[in-house]
Amino acid sequence: MEFLTAYLTANNIIFFILAAIILVFGFLSVTTTKILRAATYLFFVLFAIAGLYLLLTYEFIAAVQLSVYAGGIVVLLVFAILLVKNLGEETEKVSCQKKLVSAIAAISGVVISLVTLFGFGFQNNESADELTANVNMETIGHTLMGVEKYQYLLPFEAASVFLLACIIGSVVVATNLKKEDKK
Amino acid sequence: MSSGEIFIVVFITAIILVSAALVIAMLISPRSTNEQKGEPYECGIPTRGTSWMQFKIGYYLFAILFLMFDVETVLLFPWAVIMKSLGVMGLCSVLFFLFILVLGLAYAWKKGALEWK
């Protein structure tokens, strides 16, 4: 019992609950035959991942996860799904051969990640703890806006050009589709 | 009792209380079903056909523009926190950042992507 209570701290329990949510809904979103439900399950997965970031006290990344992934990407996916014809029909059942091949691919992925994780030899390094504990918004801001070594103003500006390219690309594609829609 | 033990006790109690309430309600509540209860609206014109239909492409365009400017606000957050200490230099770089993105908005506007047709 003592071992159990030492292991079951509030942090660990919350982690296990979040991990269970991520695994269950991730599995459901892959196995469901209704495509809109898959998007909904994906939303729950992304939401729970934001919870994991909060558990690690990375508030900024949690906020990004919520606003960009759980907010933006899922909305985009849902709209993309709603553009599809014959939406109400269920997707076709996958053949046994495909199931076998994808199962082998998934299991080999799991094996590779597990081997890498256990081979890495994590150390309880205090200097590393200090480094990660002090990542607050001020640090991120100074890193993003400075021009010294290990500061990234140029990539920040390059990101704006990248976003501009994305906007122009999406407008070009969508306006072409609009014209086809009218015909 | 340590805080971990208290957490476990409270957690298990919460689960038992909620599930007990649900199970008791399921066991002893009276039930009646009829066709009208399955309808989506209580009153008004009966619905026809399925609710699944193809949406207009315009929705997708708005969603993707929303996503772009969503990412933009995310990149602006770290600057906003330390705005005062960065001073004019930081303001200039962010204004340049915004200028490039406003170009994208202007392009979308000119192409008529923001109009709802």
mmCIF file with all atom_site columns, all heavy atoms in Angstrom, chain A residues 86-111:
data_model
loop_
_atom_site.group_PDB
_atom_site.id
_atom_site.type_symbol
_atom_site.label_atom_id
_atom_site.label_alt_id
_atom_site.label_comp_id
_atom_site.label_asym_id
_atom_site.label_entity_id
_atom_site.label_seq_id
_atom_site.pdbx_PDB_ins_code
_atom_site.Cartn_x
_atom_site.Cartn_y
_atom_site.Cartn_z
_atom_site.occupancy
_atom_site.B_iso_or_equiv
_atom_site.pdbx_formal_charge
_atom_site.auth_seq_id
_atom_site.auth_comp_id
_atom_site.auth_asym_id
_atom_site.auth_atom_id
_atom_site.pdbx_PDB_model_num
ATOM 1   N N   . ASN A 1 86  ? -21.917 12.464  -50.292 1.00 0.00 ? 86  ASN A N   1
ATOM 2   C CA  . ASN A 1 86  ? -22.311 11.184  -49.668 1.00 0.00 ? 86  ASN A CA  1
ATOM 3   C C   . ASN A 1 86  ? -21.723 11.031  -48.267 1.00 0.00 ? 86  ASN A C   1
ATOM 4   O O   . ASN A 1 86  ? -21.135 10.027  -47.920 1.00 0.00 ? 86  ASN A O   1
ATOM 5   C CB  . ASN A 1 86  ? -21.856 9.984   -50.510 1.00 0.00 ? 86  ASN A CB  1
ATOM 6   C CG  . ASN A 1 86  ? -22.205 10.153  -51.953 1.00 0.00 ? 86  ASN A CG  1
ATOM 7   O OD1 . ASN A 1 86  ? -23.240 10.751  -52.260 1.00 0.00 ? 86  ASN A OD1 1
ATOM 8   N ND2 . ASN A 1 86  ? -21.371 9.666   -52.820 1.00 0.00 ? 86  ASN A ND2 1
ATOM 9   N N   . LEU A 1 87  ? -21.890 12.092  -47.478 1.00 0.00 ? 87  LEU A N   1
ATOM 10  C CA  . LEU A 1 87  ? -21.244 12.140  -46.175 1.00 0.00 ? 87  LEU A CA  1
ATOM 11  C C   . LEU A 1 87  ? -21.859 11.141  -45.206 1.00 0.00 ? 87  LEU A C   1
ATOM 12  O O   . LEU A 1 87  ? -21.158 10.559  -44.377 1.00 0.00 ? 87  LEU A O   1
ATOM 13  C CB  . LEU A 1 87  ? -21.377 13.564  -45.629 1.00 0.00 ? 87  LEU A CB  1
ATOM 14  C CG  . LEU A 1 87  ? -20.680 13.894  -44.357 1.00 0.00 ? 87  LEU A CG  1
ATOM 15  C CD1 . LEU A 1 87  ? -19.192 13.724  -44.532 1.00 0.00 ? 87  LEU A CD1 1
ATOM 16  C CD2 . LEU A 1 87  ? -20.990 15.310  -43.978 1.00 0.00 ? 87  LEU A CD2 1
ATOM 17  N N   . GLY A 1 88  ? -23.176 10.943  -45.319 1.00 0.00 ? 88  GLY A N   1
ATOM 18  C CA  . GLY A 1 88  ? -23.859 10.109  -44.338 1.00 0.00 ? 88  GLY A CA  1
ATOM 19  C C   . GLY A 1 88  ? -23.477 8.643   -44.408 1.00 0.00 ? 88  GLY A C   1
ATOM 20  O O   . GLY A 1 88  ? -23.618 7.910   -43.437 1.00 0.00 ? 88  GLY A O   1
ATOM 21  N N   . GLU A 1 89  ? -22.965 8.221   -45.582 1.00 0.00 ? 89  GLU A N   1
ATOM 22  C CA  . GLU A 1 89  ? -22.635 6.806   -45.718 1.00 0.00 ? 89  GLU A CA  1
ATOM 23  C C   . GLU A 1 89  ? -21.407 6.449   -44.890 1.00 0.00 ? 89  GLU A C   1
ATOM 24  O O   . GLU A 1 89  ? -20.527 7.264   -44.686 1.00 0.00 ? 89  GLU A O   1
ATOM 25  C CB  . GLU A 1 89  ? -22.348 6.492   -47.193 1.00 0.00 ? 89  GLU A CB  1
ATOM 26  C CG  . GLU A 1 89  ? -23.585 6.569   -48.049 1.00 0.00 ? 89  GLU A CG  1
ATOM 27  C CD  . GLU A 1 89  ? -23.241 6.521   -49.517 1.00 0.00 ? 89  GLU A CD  1
ATOM 28  O OE1 . GLU A 1 89  ? -22.126 6.100   -49.846 1.00 0.00 ? 89  GLU A OE1 1
ATOM 29  O OE2 . GLU A 1 89  ? -24.096 6.915   -50.316 1.00 0.00 ? 89  GLU A OE2 1
ATOM 30  N N   . GLU A 1 90  ? -21.375 5.215   -44.460 1.00 0.00 ? 90  GLU A N   1
ATOM 31  C CA  . GLU A 1 90  ? -20.216 4.776   -43.701 1.00 0.00 ? 90  GLU A CA  1
ATOM 32  C C   . GLU A 1 90  ? -19.093 4.413   -44.663 1.00 0.00 ? 90  GLU A C   1
ATOM 33  O O   . GLU A 1 90  ? -19.340 4.043   -45.806 1.00 0.00 ? 90  GLU A O   1
ATOM 34  C CB  . GLU A 1 90  ? -20.584 3.558   -42.848 1.00 0.00 ? 90  GLU A CB  1
ATOM 35  C CG  . GLU A 1 90  ? -21.670 3.900   -41.842 1.00 0.00 ? 90  GLU A CG  1
ATOM 36  C CD  . GLU A 1 90  ? -21.796 2.860   -40.768 1.00 0.00 ? 90  GLU A CD  1
ATOM 37  O OE1 . GLU A 1 90  ? -21.103 1.834   -40.848 1.00 0.00 ? 90  GLU A OE1 1
ATOM 38  O OE2 . GLU A 1 90  ? -22.592 3.089   -39.856 1.00 0.00 ? 90  GLU A OE2 1
ATOM 39  N N   . THR A 1 91  ? -17.870 4.533   -44.167 1.00 0.00 ? 91  THR A N   1
ATOM 40  C CA  . THR A 1 91  ? -16.740 4.197   -45.026 1.00 0.00 ? 91  THR A CA  1
ATOM 41  C C   . THR A 1 91  ? -16.667 2.684   -45.204 1.00 0.00 ? 91  THR A C   1
ATOM 42  O O   . THR A 1 91  ? -17.175 1.917   -44.396 1.00 0.00 ? 91  THR A O   1
ATOM 43  C CB  . THR A 1 91  ? -15.427 4.698   -44.414 1.00 0.00 ? 91  THR A CB  1
ATOM 44  O OG1 . THR A 1 91  ? -15.406 4.278   -43.048 1.00 0.00 ? 91  THR A OG1 1
ATOM 45  C CG2 . THR A 1 91  ? -15.328 6.195   -44.473 1.00 0.00 ? 91  THR A CG2 1
ATOM 46  N N   . GLU A 1 92  ? -15.986 2.293   -46.286 1.00 0.00 ? 92  GLU A N   1
ATOM 47  C CA  . GLU A 1 92  ? -15.910 0.866   -46.581 1.00 0.00 ? 92  GLU A CA  1
ATOM 48  C C   . GLU A 1 92  ? -15.117 0.125   -45.509 1.00 0.00 ? 92  GLU A C   1
ATOM 49  O O   . GLU A 1 92  ? -14.219 0.673   -44.890 1.00 0.00 ? 92  GLU A O   1
ATOM 50  C CB  . GLU A 1 92  ? -15.196 0.659   -47.925 1.00 0.00 ? 92  GLU A CB  1
ATOM 51  C CG  . GLU A 1 92  ? -16.032 1.027   -49.115 1.00 0.00 ? 92  GLU A CG  1
ATOM 52  C CD  . GLU A 1 92  ? -15.195 0.965   -50.381 1.00 0.00 ? 92  GLU A CD  1
ATOM 53  O OE1 . GLU A 1 92  ? -14.374 0.033   -50.489 1.00 0.00 ? 92  GLU A OE1 1
ATOM 54  O OE2 . GLU A 1 92  ? -15.363 1.835   -51.225 1.00 0.00 ? 92  GLU A OE2 1
ATOM 55  N N   . LYS A 1 93  ? -15.476 -1.124  -45.335 1.00 0.00 ? 93  LYS A N   1
ATOM 56  C CA  . LYS A 1 93  ? -14.688 -1.965  -44.432 1.00 0.00 ? 93  LYS A CA  1
ATOM 57  C C   . LYS A 1 93  ? -13.321 -2.245  -45.047 1.00 0.00 ? 93  LYS A C   1
ATOM 58  O O   . LYS A 1 93  ? -13.208 -2.471  -46.250 1.00 0.00 ? 93  LYS A O   1
ATOM 59  C CB  . LYS A 1 93  ? -15.424 -3.288  -44.202 1.00 0.00 ? 93  LYS A CB  1
ATOM 60  C CG  . LYS A 1 93  ? -16.616 -3.142  -43.259 1.00 0.00 ? 93  LYS A CG  1
ATOM 61  C CD  . LYS A 1 93  ? -16.212 -3.392  -41.825 1.00 0.00 ? 93  LYS A CD  1
ATOM 62  C CE  . LYS A 1 93  ? -17.406 -3.337  -40.895 1.00 0.00 ? 93  LYS A CE  1
ATOM 63  N NZ  . LYS A 1 93  ? -17.879 -1.985  -40.655 1.00 0.00 ? 93  LYS A NZ  1
ATOM 64  N N   . VAL A 1 94  ? -12.299 -2.202  -44.207 1.00 0.00 ? 94  VAL A N   1
ATOM 65  C CA  . VAL A 1 94  ? -10.941 -2.419  -44.713 1.00 0.00 ? 94  VAL A CA  1
ATOM 66  C C   . VAL A 1 94  ? -10.709 -3.924  -44.876 1.00 0.00 ? 94  VAL A C   1
ATOM 67  O O   . VAL A 1 94  ? -11.172 -4.721  -44.055 1.00 0.00 ? 94  VAL A O   1
ATOM 68  C CB  . VAL A 1 94  ? -9.922  -1.826  -43.727 1.00 0.00 ? 94  VAL A CB  1
ATOM 69  C CG1 . VAL A 1 94  ? -8.556  -1.764  -44.363 1.00 0.00 ? 94  VAL A CG1 1
ATOM 70  C CG2 . VAL A 1 94  ? -10.357 -0.451  -43.288 1.00 0.00 ? 94  VAL A CG2 1
ATOM 71  N N   . SER A 1 95  ? -9.986  -4.287  -45.925 1.00 0.00 ? 95  SER A N   1
ATOM 72  C CA  . SER A 1 95  ? -9.727  -5.708  -46.158 1.00 0.00 ? 95  SER A CA  1
ATOM 73  C C   . SER A 1 95  ? -8.716  -6.250  -45.149 1.00 0.00 ? 95  SER A C   1
ATOM 74  O O   . SER A 1 95  ? -7.942  -5.496  -44.562 1.00 0.00 ? 95  SER A O   1
ATOM 75  C CB  . SER A 1 95  ? -9.185  -5.920  -47.574 1.00 0.00 ? 95  SER A CB  1
ATOM 76  O OG  . SER A 1 95  ? -7.907  -5.332  -47.671 1.00 0.00 ? 95  SER A OG  1
ATOM 77  N N   . CYS A 1 96  ? -8.722  -7.566  -44.979 1.00 0.00 ? 96  CYS A N   1
ATOM 78  C CA  . CYS A 1 96  ? -7.877  -8.210  -43.972 1.00 0.00 ? 96  CYS A CA  1
ATOM 79  C C   . CYS A 1 96  ? -6.394  -7.977  -44.257 1.00 0.00 ? 96  CYS A C   1
ATOM 80  O O   . CYS A 1 96  ? -5.600  -7.760  -43.351 1.00 0.00 ? 96  CYS A O   1
ATOM 81  C CB  . CYS A 1 96  ? -8.154  -9.717  -43.928 1.00 0.00 ? 96  CYS A CB  1
ATOM 82  S SG  . CYS A 1 96  ? -9.322  -10.160 -42.635 1.00 0.00 ? 96  CYS A SG  1
ATOM 83  N N   . GLN A 1 97  ? -6.050  -8.009  -45.558 1.00 0.00 ? 97  GLN A N   1
ATOM 84  C CA  . GLN A 1 97  ? -4.649  -7.834  -45.932 1.00 0.00 ? 97  GLN A CA  1
ATOM 85  C C   . GLN A 1 97  ? -4.159  -6.466  -45.504 1.00 0.00 ? 97  GLN A C   1
ATOM 86  O O   . GLN A 1 97  ? -3.088  -6.321  -44.911 1.00 0.00 ? 97  GLN A O   1
ATOM 87  C CB  . GLN A 1 97  ? -4.535  -8.003  -47.448 1.00 0.00 ? 97  GLN A CB  1
ATOM 88  C CG  . GLN A 1 97  ? -3.125  -8.305  -47.908 1.00 0.00 ? 97  GLN A CG  1
ATOM 89  C CD  . GLN A 1 97  ? -3.030  -8.252  -49.427 1.00 0.00 ? 97  GLN A CD  1
ATOM 90  O OE1 . GLN A 1 97  ? -4.028  -8.177  -50.128 1.00 0.00 ? 97  GLN A OE1 1
ATOM 91  N NE2 . GLN A 1 97  ? -1.820  -8.277  -49.920 1.00 0.00 ? 97  GLN A NE2 1
ATOM 92  N N   . LYS A 1 98  ? -4.978  -5.426  -45.762 1.00 0.00 ? 98  LYS A N   1
ATOM 93  C CA  . LYS A 1 98  ? -4.608  -4.062  -45.374 1.00 0.00 ? 98  LYS A CA  1
ATOM 94  C C   . LYS A 1 98  ? -4.461  -3.963  -43.869 1.00 0.00 ? 98  LYS A C   1
ATOM 95  O O   . LYS A 1 98  ? -3.555  -3.307  -43.353 1.00 0.00 ? 98  LYS A O   1
ATOM 96  C CB  . LYS A 1 98  ? -5.668  -3.081  -45.865 1.00 0.00 ? 98  LYS A CB  1
ATOM 97  C CG  . LYS A 1 98  ? -5.368  -2.494  -47.222 1.00 0.00 ? 98  LYS A CG  1
ATOM 98  C CD  . LYS A 1 98  ? -6.349  -1.384  -47.531 1.00 0.00 ? 98  LYS A CD  1
ATOM 99  C CE  . LYS A 1 98  ? -6.214  -0.950  -48.973 1.00 0.00 ? 98  LYS A CE  1
ATOM 100 N NZ  . LYS A 1 98  ? -7.339  -0.095  -49.379 1.00 0.00 ? 98  LYS A NZ  1
ATOM 101 N N   . LYS A 1 99  ? -5.407  -4.619  -43.161 1.00 0.00 ? 99  LYS A N   1
ATOM 102 C CA  . LYS A 1 99  ? -5.347  -4.584  -41.704 1.00 0.00 ? 99  LYS A CA  1
ATOM 103 C C   . LYS A 1 99  ? -4.040  -5.179  -41.204 1.00 0.00 ? 99  LYS A C   1
ATOM 104 O O   . LYS A 1 99  ? -3.394  -4.630  -40.312 1.00 0.00 ? 99  LYS A O   1
ATOM 105 C CB  . LYS A 1 99  ? -6.519  -5.375  -41.115 1.00 0.00 ? 99  LYS A CB  1
ATOM 106 C CG  . LYS A 1 99  ? -7.744  -4.535  -40.839 1.00 0.00 ? 99  LYS A CG  1
ATOM 107 C CD  . LYS A 1 99  ? -8.812  -5.378  -40.178 1.00 0.00 ? 99  LYS A CD  1
ATOM 108 C CE  . LYS A 1 99  ? -10.126 -4.647  -40.136 1.00 0.00 ? 99  LYS A CE  1
ATOM 109 N NZ  . LYS A 1 99  ? -11.222 -5.509  -39.747 1.00 0.00 ? 99  LYS A NZ  1
ATOM 110 N N   . LEU A 1 100 ? -3.663  -6.308  -41.817 1.00 0.00 ? 100 LEU A N   1
ATOM 111 C CA  . LEU A 1 100 ? -2.443  -7.000  -41.391 1.00 0.00 ? 100 LEU A CA  1
ATOM 112 C C   . LEU A 1 100 ? -1.223  -6.119  -41.624 1.00 0.00 ? 100 LEU A C   1
ATOM 113 O O   . LEU A 1 100 ? -0.387  -5.931  -40.733 1.00 0.00 ? 100 LEU A O   1
ATOM 114 C CB  . LEU A 1 100 ? -2.316  -8.313  -42.172 1.00 0.00 ? 100 LEU A CB  1
ATOM 115 C CG  . LEU A 1 100 ? -1.246  -9.281  -41.665 1.00 0.00 ? 100 LEU A CG  1
ATOM 116 C CD1 . LEU A 1 100 ? -1.679  -9.913  -40.360 1.00 0.00 ? 100 LEU A CD1 1
ATOM 117 C CD2 . LEU A 1 100 ? -0.965  -10.357 -42.704 1.00 0.00 ? 100 LEU A CD2 1
ATOM 118 N N   . VAL A 1 101 ? -1.142  -5.537  -42.830 1.00 0.00 ? 101 VAL A N   1
ATOM 119 C CA  . VAL A 1 101 ? 0.022   -4.716  -43.171 1.00 0.00 ? 101 VAL A CA  1
ATOM 120 C C   . VAL A 1 101 ? 0.117   -3.516  -42.240 1.00 0.00 ? 101 VAL A C   1
ATOM 121 O O   . VAL A 1 101 ? 1.183   -3.174  -41.710 1.00 0.00 ? 101 VAL A O   1
ATOM 122 C CB  . VAL A 1 101 ? -0.059  -4.263  -44.646 1.00 0.00 ? 101 VAL A CB  1
ATOM 123 C CG1 . VAL A 1 101 ? 1.033   -3.254  -44.948 1.00 0.00 ? 101 VAL A CG1 1
ATOM 124 C CG2 . VAL A 1 101 ? 0.058   -5.452  -45.570 1.00 0.00 ? 101 VAL A CG2 1
ATOM 125 N N   . SER A 1 102 ? -1.039  -2.846  -42.001 1.00 0.00 ? 102 SER A N   1
ATOM 126 C CA  . SER A 1 102 ? -0.987  -1.652  -41.153 1.00 0.00 ? 102 SER A CA  1
ATOM 127 C C   . SER A 1 102 ? -0.700  -2.027  -39.711 1.00 0.00 ? 102 SER A C   1
ATOM 128 O O   . SER A 1 102 ? -0.040  -1.263  -38.991 1.00 0.00 ? 102 SER A O   1
ATOM 129 C CB  . SER A 1 102 ? -2.279  -0.847  -41.269 1.00 0.00 ? 102 SER A CB  1
ATOM 130 O OG  . SER A 1 102 ? -3.380  -1.688  -41.251 1.00 0.00 ? 102 SER A OG  1
ATOM 131 N N   . ALA A 1 103 ? -1.162  -3.217  -39.285 1.00 0.00 ? 103 ALA A N   1
ATOM 132 C CA  . ALA A 1 103 ? -0.846  -3.657  -37.923 1.00 0.00 ? 103 ALA A CA  1
ATOM 133 C C   . ALA A 1 103 ? 0.651   -3.877  -37.772 1.00 0.00 ? 103 ALA A C   1
ATOM 134 O O   . ALA A 1 103 ? 1.256   -3.466  -36.777 1.00 0.00 ? 103 ALA A O   1
ATOM 135 C CB  . ALA A 1 103 ? -1.599  -4.945  -37.602 1.00 0.00 ? 103 ALA A CB  1
ATOM 136 N N   . ILE A 1 104 ? 1.269   -4.500  -38.801 1.00 0.00 ? 104 ILE A N   1
ATOM 137 C CA  . ILE A 1 104 ? 2.723   -4.714  -38.749 1.00 0.00 ? 104 ILE A CA  1
ATOM 138 C C   . ILE A 1 104 ? 3.449   -3.368  -38.697 1.00 0.00 ? 104 ILE A C   1
ATOM 139 O O   . ILE A 1 104 ? 4.374   -3.160  -37.896 1.00 0.00 ? 104 ILE A O   1
ATOM 140 C CB  . ILE A 1 104 ? 3.183   -5.536  -39.973 1.00 0.00 ? 104 ILE A CB  1
ATOM 141 C CG1 . ILE A 1 104 ? 2.663   -6.975  -39.858 1.00 0.00 ? 104 ILE A CG1 1
ATOM 142 C CG2 . ILE A 1 104 ? 4.700   -5.541  -40.087 1.00 0.00 ? 104 ILE A CG2 1
ATOM 143 C CD1 . ILE A 1 104 ? 2.846   -7.788  -41.106 1.00 0.00 ? 104 ILE A CD1 1
ATOM 144 N N   . ALA A 1 105 ? 2.997   -2.420  -39.520 1.00 0.00 ? 105 ALA A N   1
ATOM 145 C CA  . ALA A 1 105 ? 3.639   -1.104  -39.552 1.00 0.00 ? 105 ALA A CA  1
ATOM 146 C C   . ALA A 1 105 ? 3.517   -0.421  -38.190 1.00 0.00 ? 105 ALA A C   1
ATOM 147 O O   . ALA A 1 105 ? 4.501   0.121   -37.657 1.00 0.00 ? 105 ALA A O   1
ATOM 148 C CB  . ALA A 1 105 ? 3.004   -0.237  -40.637 1.00 0.00 ? 105 ALA A CB  1
ATOM 149 N N   . ALA A 1 106 ? 2.305   -0.478  -37.583 1.00 0.00 ? 106 ALA A N   1
ATOM 150 C CA  . ALA A 1 106 ? 2.089   0.185   -36.300 1.00 0.00 ? 106 ALA A CA  1
ATOM 151 C C   . ALA A 1 106 ? 2.929   -0.455  -35.204 1.00 0.00 ? 106 ALA A C   1
ATOM 152 O O   . ALA A 1 106 ? 3.574   0.229   -34.403 1.00 0.00 ? 106 ALA A O   1
ATOM 153 C CB  . ALA A 1 106 ? 0.611   0.121   -35.929 1.00 0.00 ? 106 ALA A CB  1
ATOM 154 N N   . ILE A 1 107 ? 2.954   -1.809  -35.195 1.00 0.00 ? 107 ILE A N   1
ATOM 155 C CA  . ILE A 1 107 ? 3.690   -2.499  -34.135 1.00 0.00 ? 107 ILE A CA  1
ATOM 156 C C   . ILE A 1 107 ? 5.178   -2.231  -34.264 1.00 0.00 ? 107 ILE A C   1
ATOM 157 O O   . ILE A 1 107 ? 5.870   -1.993  -33.265 1.00 0.00 ? 107 ILE A O   1
ATOM 158 C CB  . ILE A 1 107 ? 3.382   -4.007  -34.167 1.00 0.00 ? 107 ILE A CB  1
ATOM 159 C CG1 . ILE A 1 107 ? 1.941   -4.237  -33.682 1.00 0.00 ? 107 ILE A CG1 1
ATOM 160 C CG2 . ILE A 1 107 ? 4.336   -4.783  -33.280 1.00 0.00 ? 107 ILE A CG2 1
ATOM 161 C CD1 . ILE A 1 107 ? 1.437   -5.631  -33.919 1.00 0.00 ? 107 ILE A CD1 1
ATOM 162 N N   . SER A 1 108 ? 5.691   -2.216  -35.518 1.00 0.00 ? 108 SER A N   1
ATOM 163 C CA  . SER A 1 108 ? 7.118   -1.942  -35.673 1.00 0.00 ? 108 SER A CA  1
ATOM 164 C C   . SER A 1 108 ? 7.434   -0.521  -35.238 1.00 0.00 ? 108 SER A C   1
ATOM 165 O O   . SER A 1 108 ? 8.491   -0.260  -34.651 1.00 0.00 ? 108 SER A O   1
ATOM 166 C CB  . SER A 1 108 ? 7.566   -2.188  -37.114 1.00 0.00 ? 108 SER A CB  1
ATOM 167 O OG  . SER A 1 108 ? 6.779   -1.430  -37.995 1.00 0.00 ? 108 SER A OG  1
ATOM 168 N N   . GLY A 1 109 ? 6.490   0.416   -35.474 1.00 0.00 ? 109 GLY A N   1
ATOM 169 C CA  . GLY A 1 109 ? 6.685   1.787   -34.989 1.00 0.00 ? 109 GLY A CA  1
ATOM 170 C C   . GLY A 1 109 ? 6.782   1.824   -33.482 1.00 0.00 ? 109 GLY A C   1
ATOM 171 O O   . GLY A 1 109 ? 7.664   2.484   -32.905 1.00 0.00 ? 109 GLY A O   1
ATOM 172 N N   . VAL A 1 110 ? 5.866   1.089   -32.812 1.00 0.00 ? 110 VAL A N   1
ATOM 173 C CA  . VAL A 1 110 ? 5.882   1.030   -31.344 1.00 0.00 ? 110 VAL A CA  1
ATOM 174 C C   . VAL A 1 110 ? 7.203   0.452   -30.844 1.00 0.00 ? 110 VAL A C   1
ATOM 175 O O   . VAL A 1 110 ? 7.817   0.984   -29.917 1.00 0.00 ? 110 VAL A O   1
ATOM 176 C CB  . VAL A 1 110 ? 4.693   0.189   -30.827 1.00 0.00 ? 110 VAL A CB  1
ATOM 177 C CG1 . VAL A 1 110 ? 4.852   -0.116  -29.355 1.00 0.00 ? 110 VAL A CG1 1
ATOM 178 C CG2 . VAL A 1 110 ? 3.389   0.899   -31.068 1.00 0.00 ? 110 VAL A CG2 1
ATOM 179 N N   . VAL A 1 111 ? 7.652   -0.649  -31.506 1.00 0.00 ? 111 VAL A N   1
ATOM 180 C CA  . VAL A 1 111 ? 8.889   -1.309  -31.063 1.00 0.00 ? 111 VAL A CA  1
ATOM 181 C C   . VAL A 1 111 ? 10.069  -0.359  -31.198 1.00 0.00 ? 111 VAL A C   1
ATOM 182 O O   . VAL A 1 111 ? 10.884  -0.211  -30.273 1.00 0.00 ? 111 VAL A O   1
ATOM 183 C CB  . VAL A 1 111 ? 9.118   -2.608  -31.882 1.00 0.00 ? 111 VAL A CB  1
ATOM 184 C CG1 . VAL A 1 111 ? 10.523  -3.144  -31.643 1.00 0.00 ? 111 VAL A CG1 1
ATOM 185 C CG2 . VAL A 1 111 ? 8.082   -3.651  -31.501 1.00 0.00 ? 111 VAL A CG2 1
#
